[in-house]
Amino acid sequence: SYQIRQIAKAIGATDFRPDKPDTTFQQGFTLLVVGVDDRNDGVATGIRSDTLMLMRVQPQTGLLSLLSIPRDTRVSVRERGDSKINAAYAYGYMHPQELYTDDVSQQEGGMALAAETVEDFLMLRSRGYRVDYVMELNFTGFAHIIDAFGGVTVDVPAYIVDAAYPTADYGVMRVEFQ
């Protein structure tokens, strides 16, 4: 918990929700991991959350619970109405100042609205919980996390060729695995 708090302080964004939770790490916390389709190529119109994982950490017992929320789940999004849950991040990203304050970044707006929407959809407040923290993660960040844990060994039992493997610049390339 201490390490997570130190990392959050170093890389964290400000939580602009009007009623942000007051969290005590020692008593447990809830983290919403938002996997975004962001390739750092300057195209901001298509950013949306492709993955939503809610993680509950209980440091005193050592328990960790994960809930994956399908991106096409129908929910009510503030200021937008009924929509897919992945639209909450996109709408917050595209309208941060209208939803929060003038000094909100697009990422902070997206994360805040995603957290609000997940809290409402899962009725977390009525159960005594909140989304205490939100972590935005793109594919490059995900790869760095996997590398930090030592990588993944993949056994390729047969020769594989993909002539149209997608690249970060929206092109394709040929890849071969022996």
Side-chain angles (χ1 to χ4, degrees), residues 63-127:
L63 293 176
L64 176 76
S65 303
L66 290 171
L67 173 67
S68 180
I69 303 169
R71 70 182 187 173
D72 292 336
T73 301
R74 300 294 294 183
V75 298
S76 179
V77 178
R78 179 166 66 94
E79 304 292 325
R80 184 181 167 109
D82 288 342
S83 189
K84 295 179 181 179
I85 199 163
N86 70 338
Y89 178 87
Y91 191 77
Y93 185 94
M94 297 308 293
H95 304 279
Q97 287 78 31
E98 295 92 352
L99 292 167
Y100 300 101
T101 65
D102 288 341
D103 56 345
V104 176
S105 73
Q106 288 183 298
Q107 289 81 8
E108 290 166 333
M111 290 186 292
L113 191 57
E116 286 181 36
T117 304
V118 167
E119 279 185 354
D120 291 344
F121 172 64
L122 296 176
M123 298 179 288
L124 292 180
R125 291 176 194 222
S126 67
R127 294 176 169 89

Side-chain angles (χ1 to χ4, degrees), residues 11-12 43 45 49 68 71 78 86 97 112 117 147 149-150 166 170:
I11 64 172
V43 179
T45 58
S49 57
S68 180
R71 70 182 187 173
R78 179 166 66 94
N86 70 338
Q97 287 78 31
T117 304
D147 290 345
F149 282 107
Y170 299 98

